Amino acid sequence: MTTAPASTLTAIINAHVVPVVGDPIPNGTVLIENGTISAIGADLIVPPTARIIDATGKWVLPGFIEAHGHVGIHEEANGWAGNDTNEMTGPNMAAVRAIDAVNIDDEGFRDALSGGVTTIVVKPGSGNPIGGQSVAIKSWGGRTIDEQVISDSVSIKSALGENPKRVYGDQKKTPSTRLGVSLVIRQAFVDAQNYVQARDAALEKGDAFTRDLGKEALGRVLSGELAWDQHVHRHDDIATAIRLAEEFGYRLVINHGTEGHKIADVLAEKKIPVIFGPMLTARTKVELRDRAIGNLAVLAAAGVLVAITTDHPVVPVNFLVHQASLAVKEGLPVQTALEALTVNPAVILGLDGRVGSLSVGLDADVVIWSGDPLDLGSRAELVLIDGLEVYRYSDGFGQVVERANRA
């Protein structure tokens, strides 16, 4: 199984096209050229040179986005040797970067394709108050990860609540309480503010200045370049996250938000988005006592911009769409569910100029489904990334185009 060059003109015809950002197009056509979507509509003229993909009876959607995953950084079936999720030798690890630890041959990426997931925002874990920098990548395609990067300027991962206080409490060092976790974050930002001020003054004078990678990263948060991805479950911890964000003026994104429904009106009023999930888990710790799939519908009904996460490998990444299906069962509107898999995470994390919908000029990350993807009986039958075929389901099994077979 090999792929055609990205410059090939491709036309997906006779499909039920769901752009997500607009109304569905019955008997629609999607034109792809040079790796991007060049046209979409019901009455398009297909150039005679186009490669035709007849999608009669199929649904065509943009590739889904896993907005908070650890694919490649917490590898499948490799135990400790493949787990580089947390650098837990210090509570402030703003300087570390997820991109430096992602194995793009991790089996999780193949699973992602089978679930129609074409973009993954890979983040450090939640063992530290400040965990490090995330990276948004395509689920497949490059010889190295650098060829799959959508953006390495996405966010810094942070954690409040049980995880960091447990990790450092067990080591008998700060932070061992919620008080200490907040202190670490607050002091780190004060230090970053001082650093940025001193750096800028030195640059203005032409003086030498010693760089600090962690403070530089936090300075990018303070300037608004990077989002602050806040791992948080309990409503009181969410309130702390809001307090810290307002104190320092950074762009807050709630990750998990298990009890966000308890202050949904506050989140909506302050326009703070929530990347919700994972949903298919037991209540394994105190913070998850009020975990419920229906909480997502409450957030959305209040006007909160929501996305959905598997937190892979907590839940397998290919189950992202199934979580959306179960959320619909618990009251989430169908359109909101599709948006939470596509355009919403793209907007939340600043990726909407590349991915998140079937729109002219965006990357041709397109998935052909056997039917409505929210129907548990539907499957991803063909996955294109940048216009290239990377996955096909046929004869009872899915087949990935391995890197060695790329044209």
Side-chain angles (χ1 to χ4, degrees), residues 191-229:
D191 292 345
Q193 287 175 329
N194 294 336
Y195 173 87
V196 169
Q197 184 177 13
R199 180 196 64 192
D200 292 350
L203 288 173
E204 186 175 346
K205 295 177 182 178
D207 294 343
F209 189 79
T210 302
R211 296 178 62 193
D212 184 300
L213 296 179
K215 293 182 178 68
E216 284 189 1
L218 292 176
R220 296 169 69 196
V221 175
L222 292 170
S223 70
E225 181 183 355
L226 300 180
W228 189 252
D229 265 322

Side-chain angles (χ1 to χ4, degrees), residues 334-348:
V334 169
Q335 178 63 23
T336 305
L338 293 176
E339 291 169 352
L341 297 172
T342 55
V343 65
N344 286 3
V347 168
I348 290 169

Side-chain angles (χ1 to χ4, degrees), residues 72-73 84 95-103 122 133-135 145-146:
I73 199 172
D84 294 296
V96 305
R97 307 186 308 162
I99 191 174
D100 295 325
V102 176
N103 176 6
V122 182
Q133 301 165 51
S134 60
V135 63
I145 186 175
D146 303 273

Side-chain angles (χ1 to χ4, degrees), residues 67-68 121 123 134 154-159 227-231 251-255 275 348-349:
H68 174 124
V121 182
K123 301 177 181 178
S134 60
V154 180
S155 65
I156 286 183
K157 175 73 176 295
S158 170
W228 189 252
D229 265 322
Q230 189 70 73
H231 163 109
R251 180 161 50 98
L252 175 64
V253 179
I254 297 298
N255 287 236
I275 299 172
I348 290 169
L349 296 172

Side-chain angles (χ1 to χ4, degrees), residues 11-18 24-31 39-44 46 53-56 58 60:
I12 303 172
I13 64 172
N14 301 325
H16 181 75
V17 178
V18 182
I25 306 170
N27 197 33
T29 297
V30 178
L31 290 181
I40 179 172
D43 300 306
L44 299 182
V46 177
I53 299 176
D54 189 347
T56 300
K58 315 294 185 184
V60 175

Side-chain angles (χ1 to χ4, degrees), residues 261-297:
H261 64 291
K262 295 183 179 181
I263 54 171
D265 58 330
V266 175
L267 292 167
E269 179 186 353
K270 296 179 180 294
K271 294 181 169 48
I272 298 172
V274 175
I275 299 172
F276 187 84
M279 303 183 207
L280 304 179
T281 62
R283 297 176 179 88
T284 54
K285 55 184 180 179
V286 173
E287 290 179 331
L288 301 181
R289 281 178 172 172
D290 289 332
R291 185 206 63 76
I293 294 173
N295 293 348
L296 177 58

Side-chain angles (χ1 to χ4, degrees), residues 241-262:
I242 295 171
R243 187 179 315 111
L244 287 166
E246 292 183 342
E247 181 176 343
F248 293 99
Y250 54 73
R251 180 161 50 98
L252 175 64
V253 179
I254 297 298
N255 287 236
H256 306 308
T258 304
E259 292 187 6
H261 64 291
K262 295 183 179 181

